[in-house]
């Protein structure tokens, strides 16, 4: 606690893309940010001392550095701070709580009580939001052969990809992950409730922030005579009352960066009952609900604070 009774927070990786986004949003919460001298930001001793001095540390680091930080915390025993990790390192670790409050009715309470919370990945946020309620409701079978197409703004690749696009000029659009071993697949499989790994085809475009995750569905491969309205209704029921996740009407075109700068996400069910085909889409800001906005939601829950209204 700080002298004025506010919880203290250290962002390890404060100068990175996700760290800066969280730092900016912290002004909406009554917490005290503690920072280390930028010259010492990678110094293990300085980081260890700062970790021991705060209530919560938010890790905004590459996976390997996040694992090192958690090792440091493990060595502190009961002096260790609570941890919110933005990396991929612990997202499927059963000892950590997955920081997706809208996932289940019990999830906000689990986050509130957790010592260690993993912040969801940007693509998994869209995919899990779309599929988990439909799988739970029995509308999409767990063994449906899911294919995911997705596009992200270039900030999704962190500082190095931002520099590549802004200084050198990046490609207009490129597919990647074509080896089909993307780091988000285990997280998507687990929390969407799928029995087998989806085929995931991510891509990146020459725009800074924004994301669309889309999943085509053959309606005749779903149980019974499930139609577009059933899928829409199940999602609308699950997210009723959420100020961050909206289930919107279908549309013919979807612009990827329309929610850039917000912490919101829009879900849609497009398609045709006559053609027996649907496409589920999630649109979000990869740096908003896909990273820093979600981290602020989780931090507020961890500290028993009211999450600030969504921008
Ligand atoms: N960008 C996005 O859309 C999203 C990112 N994430 C996750 O957030 C994490 C951070 O990503 P992002 O912010 O994009 O990445 P960036 O590359 O923009 O930032 C990472 C920061 O960590 C610093 N850093 C690296 N190694 C160490 C170390 N050993 N000790 C202290 N600081 C270190 C880097 O410094 P330097 O640059 O000098 O090396 C940089 O400031 C990643 O794990 C990523 O998967 C999660 C969701 C979305
Ligand atoms: C465009 C781009 O490169 N995106 C990153 C995903 C963003 C990220 O690394 O963060 P999370 O894993 O924490 O979501 C990637 O595909 O690896």
């Amino acid at each position: 606690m700080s002298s004025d009774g506010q919880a203290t927070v250290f962002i390890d990786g404060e100068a990175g893309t996700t760290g800066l986004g969280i730092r900016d949003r912290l002004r909406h919460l009554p917490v005290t940010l503690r920072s280390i001298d930028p010259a010492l930001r990678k110094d293990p001793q300085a980081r260890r001392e700062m970790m021991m001095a705060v209530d919560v540390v938010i890790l905004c680091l590459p996976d390997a550095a996040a694992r090192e930080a958690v090792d440091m915390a493990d060595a502190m025993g009961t002096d260790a701070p609570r941890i919110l990790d933005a990396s991929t390192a612990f997202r499927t670790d059963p000892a950590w709580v997955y920081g997706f409050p809208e996932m289940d009715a019990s999830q906000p309470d689990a986050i509130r009580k957790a010592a260690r919370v993993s912040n969801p990945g940007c693509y998994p946020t869209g995919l899990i939001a779309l599929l988990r309620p439909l799988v739970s409701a029995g509308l999409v079978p767990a063994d449906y052969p899911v294919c995911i197409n997705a596009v992200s703004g270039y900030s999704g690749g962190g500082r190095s990809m931002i520099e590549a696009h802004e200084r050198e000029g990046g490609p207009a659009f490129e597919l990647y992950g074509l080896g089909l071993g993307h780091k988000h697949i285990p997280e998507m499989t687990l929390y969407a409730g799928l029995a087998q790994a989806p085929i995931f085809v991510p891509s990146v475009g020459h725009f800074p922030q924004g994301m669309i995750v889309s999943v085509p569905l053959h309606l005749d491969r779903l149980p019974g005579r499930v139609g577009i309205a059933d899928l829409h209704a199940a999602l609308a029921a699950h997210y009723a009352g959420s100020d961050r996740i909206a289930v919107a009407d279908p549309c013919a075109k979807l612009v990827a960066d329309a929610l850039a700068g917000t912490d919101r996400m829009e879900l849609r069910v497009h398609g045709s009952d006559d053609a027996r085909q649907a496409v589920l889409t999630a649109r979000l800001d990869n740096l908003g609900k896909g990273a820093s906005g979600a981290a602020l939601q989780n931090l507020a829950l961890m500290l028993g604070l009211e999450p600030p209204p969504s921008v």
Side-chain angles (χ1 to χ4, degrees):
M1 287 283 171
S2 64
S3 54
D4 57 5
Q6 289 193 338
T8 49
V9 175
F10 165 46
I11 304 173
D12 200 355
E14 183 181 337
T17 313
T18 306
L20 287 171
I22 295 172
R23 189 176 74 181
D24 180 51
R25 285 168 173 80
L26 279 185
R27 65 195 149 87
H28 300 299
L29 282 186
V31 299
T32 300
L33 177 65
R34 294 265 167 82
S35 304
I36 40 183
D37 176 349
L40 295 177
R41 70 201 170 84
K42 290 191 182 176
D43 180 279
Q45 183 58 21
R47 291 165 61 215
R48 187 180 296 109
E49 283 169 14
M50 185 55 87
M51 281 173 79
M52 287 188 75
V54 297
D55 297 303
V56 178
V57 59
I58 307 178
L59 304 178
C60 297
L61 303 166
D63 287 7
R67 288 186 192 282
E68 278 171 25
V70 171
D71 286 346
M72 280 188 212
D74 284 342
M76 290 173 198
T78 52
D79 290 330
R82 295 169 81 194
I83 302 177
L84 172 59
D85 178 32
S87 85
T88 317
F90 300 99
R91 292 189 189 143
T92 57
D93 186 326
W96 288 62
V97 170
Y98 194 58
F100 196 158
E102 298 87 353
M103 185 168 97
D104 285 318
S106 60
Q107 206 62 13
D109 206 39
I111 296 166
R112 240 174 243 124
K113 293 175 183 154
R116 294 184 176 185
V117 176
S118 57
N119 211 50
C122 45
Y123 294 117
T125 297
L127 186 276
I128 296 161
L130 288 169
L131 276 190
R132 184 180 174 97
L134 302 180
V135 173
S136 302
L139 296 173
V140 173
D143 63 356
Y144 187 92
V146 170
C147 296
I148 308 159
N149 298 297
V151 63
S152 171
Y154 57 74
S155 61
R159 190 176 63 86
S160 54
M161 191 176 282
I162 294 171
E163 285 179 4
H165 273 260
E166 294 186 352
R167 289 203 190 147
E168 296 143 32
F173 179 86
E174 71 179 337
L175 299 185
Y176 67 101
L178 293 170
L180 302 184
H182 193 280
K183 64 179 181 174
H184 288 167
I185 289 172
E187 178 185 355
M188 295 197 284
T189 310
L190 177 66
Y191 297 109
L194 298 175
Q196 62 187 9
I199 295 177
F200 177 41
V201 187
S203 62
V204 61
H206 189 58
F207 58 95
Q209 289 170 237
M211 169 168 283
I212 295 175
V213 178
S214 62
V215 181
L217 291 175
H218 290 277
L219 297 179
D220 284 339
R221 302 294 171 96
L222 307 184
R225 285 291 293 174
V226 169
I228 306 283
D230 302 309
L231 299 171
H232 180 101
L235 290 175
H238 186 87
Y239 296 106
S242 169
D243 71 335
R244 284 165 168 77
I245 305 182
V247 182
D249 290 335
C251 49
K253 291 183 185 176
L254 211 53
V255 175
D257 60 355
L259 294 183
T262 80
D263 291 342
R264 291 183 282 114
M265 176 159 63
E266 291 171 351
L267 309 181
R268 289 182 170 80
V269 183
H270 316 263
S272 156
D273 284 326
D274 293 339
R276 303 296 296 149
Q277 292 179 337
V279 180
L280 312 175
T281 60
R283 175 162 68 177
L284 64 155
D285 181 349
N286 55 296
L287 296 184
K289 183 62 177 160
S292 307
L296 203 78
Q297 239 183 312
N298 284 316
L299 179 67
L301 283 167
M302 290 172 81
L303 296 175
L305 301 169
E306 192 62 32
S310 151
V311 287

